[in-house]
Amino acid sequence: MLVFRGSPKTNIRMVDKMLREDQNRNGVVKEFRSLPKGSERVLYAPNLLKDFYLNLIDWGPDNILATALGNTVYLYDAGKNEVQILTEVDHEDDYPTSVAWSCDGLTLAIGFNNSMIEIWDPKTSRLVRSIEAHSSRVGSLSWKHQILTSGSHDTSIINHDVRAYRAAYVLKGHSGEVCGLKWSESKGLLASGGNDNLVHVWEENMVSSKWLHRFDEHRAAVKALAWCPFECNTLASGGGTADRCIKIWNAQTGQCNVSIDSEAQSLFMFLQVCGLEWNRHRKEILSGHGYGRNNLCLRKYPSMSKIGELTGHLDRILNLSQSPDGSKVVSLGADETLRIWKVFEPPCRASCGMEEESLGRLSFETMHIR
């Protein structure tokens, strides 16, 4: 029996506040949104190279997913549900080890095991040029306008101006294979991760070994890197098997704002953080994992409270990539499948009616009196 004293509106607001506080008690966050029960689409990926250090998928601005499988690079048009072969190498040891779309979606860069980089025009299936700069396999690529940045097993990072025929400049700071590269979209900052357990942040015009920040708190290789779309100086990084941590860095101050063990309560003690993707529509981050769980985990930012998990892969996840509209994420698994998840809802669907449904009939804010 509720006895209203004073303003009825005040008491109604207090009841709803109590309901919300009860939902968030003991650190349990109940999200006002639903997660998909399974992947929207499954594509088979035969001849996949099951190598943690490679980056074999990239979802381009024109809704075309580039995938390197064995000695072949495929283009999957997600809108038309069509697949075509872009290129296929003849020599068994010259297989592709990384792919990356340019910012305008007109060009695809492919790194190879033989240290070569090729620039392709996918619309005409024409090889535009080849770049020879590294001395070992090129496992990571990232674009910034006309600058293509490559990371290699030879530990170097090279920025190539694709309009010229010489490398723009070389960055040296890692002592192990550079397996992660990511340019920020709004800032001229480059993040690099390596098999030396280090993360570096470089400014756009820096040269040689003059990094802006060096982060050395991971205890395993760092491949998973993601710049936050709504906080331009925020970088997320994930460590490999011996580390399994997700860390959130402030690239302006060089401080680590958040560090969590991705599965601190899990019975599986050897987990990899294989990929990270921020939700562009809400303050959330999605991580892909290998060994033990083989799942994707969605967390709320900045609390990093777990919202839910996405399961379906039968083996470890190797790579993640996000659709151009920011609504879907594709995961590449060692079970030789590509799975597309509609996990990032657009704002109109994510915010309509979710809170009311969660509060339920007890909420006076959602009660309809006729």
Side-chain angles (χ1 to χ4, degrees), residues 121-145:
D121 179 353
K123 290 188 176 180
T124 61
S125 298
R126 182 175 64 91
L127 175 62
V128 177
R129 61 174 293 196
S130 297
I131 301 173
E132 186 175 1
H134 292 284
S135 60
S136 187
R137 72 176 184 182
V138 180
S140 54
L141 296 165
S142 185
W143 287 85
K144 179 70 172 180
H145 304 307

Side-chain angles (χ1 to χ4, degrees), residues 104-350:
D104 56 13
L106 299 178
T107 306
L108 181 70
I110 306 172
F112 289 88
N113 188 59
N114 64 356
S115 77
M116 295 292 294
I117 301 172
E118 293 182 354
I119 309 297
W120 283 80
D121 179 353
K123 290 188 176 180
T124 61
S125 298
R126 182 175 64 91
L127 175 62
V128 177
R129 61 174 293 196
S130 297
I131 301 173
E132 186 175 1
H134 292 284
S135 60
S136 187
R137 72 176 184 182
V138 180
S140 54
L141 296 165
S142 185
W143 287 85
K144 179 70 172 180
H145 304 307
Q146 299 298 322
I147 299 297
L148 172 64
T149 303
S150 58
S152 172
H153 189 271
D154 64 14
T155 75
S156 68
I157 301 170
I158 302 180
N159 290 311
H160 315 268
D161 189 333
V162 296
R163 299 164 297 185
Y165 281 88
R166 296 183 61 186
Y169 46 90
V170 179
L171 304 176
K172 292 186 177 180
H174 289 280
S175 59
E177 179 174 9
V178 181
C179 49
L181 285 174
K182 192 72 67 174
W183 277 102
S184 64
E185 293 185 6
S186 57
K187 293 277 189 176
L189 296 176
L190 171 69
S192 63
N195 197 23
D196 53 4
N197 310 345
L198 295 177
V199 176
H200 287 101
V201 176
W202 314 80
E203 287 185 318
E204 189 170 5
N205 296 321
M206 279 192 169
V207 296
S208 186
S209 58
K210 305 293 184 180
W211 58 77
L212 180 63
H213 297 296
R214 167 181 274 188
F215 304 137
D216 59 2
E217 296 183 22
H218 283 289
R219 295 170 295 173
V222 182
K223 183 181 76 169
L225 297 168
W227 289 98
C228 181
F230 46 85
E231 291 180 2
C232 58
N233 287 309
T234 298
L235 171 69
S237 62
T241 306
D243 180 74
R244 73 183 190 183
C245 287
I246 298 172
K247 297 182 184 293
I248 309 295
W249 309 91
N250 186 320
Q252 185 174 14
T253 64
Q255 299 297 314
C256 181
N257 294 336
V258 180
S259 179
I260 64 162
D261 189 323
S262 60
E263 288 294 343
Q265 305 301 321
S266 175
L267 297 176
F268 303 104
M269 300 304 294
F270 302 101
L271 295 173
Q272 297 172 327
V273 183
C274 307
L276 293 167
E277 291 289 339
W278 290 93
N279 188 343
R280 302 177 200 169
H281 308 304
R282 303 183 65 170
K283 292 187 175 181
E284 300 169 348
I285 187 168
L286 183 73
S287 55
H289 301 276
Y291 290 134
R293 298 301 290 269
N294 309 323
N295 67 345
L296 292 90
C297 180
L298 185 64
R299 296 179 182 272
K300 189 173 180 63
Y301 175 80
S303 68
M304 301 303 284
S305 302
K306 184 184 291 187
I307 298 172
E309 296 183 359
L310 302 175
T311 59
H313 281 288
L314 303 178
D315 205 338
R316 59 179 174 148
I317 295 171
L318 297 172
N319 297 118
L320 299 180
S321 189
Q322 191 169 161
S323 64
D325 66 357
S327 66
K328 302 175 183 178
V329 170
V330 61
S331 56
L332 175 64
D335 57 359
E336 297 192 341
T337 65
L338 286 155
R339 295 178 182 266
I340 297 176
W341 313 83
K342 196 170 185 179
V343 61
F344 293 157
E345 305 245 11
C348 57
R349 279 192 64 189

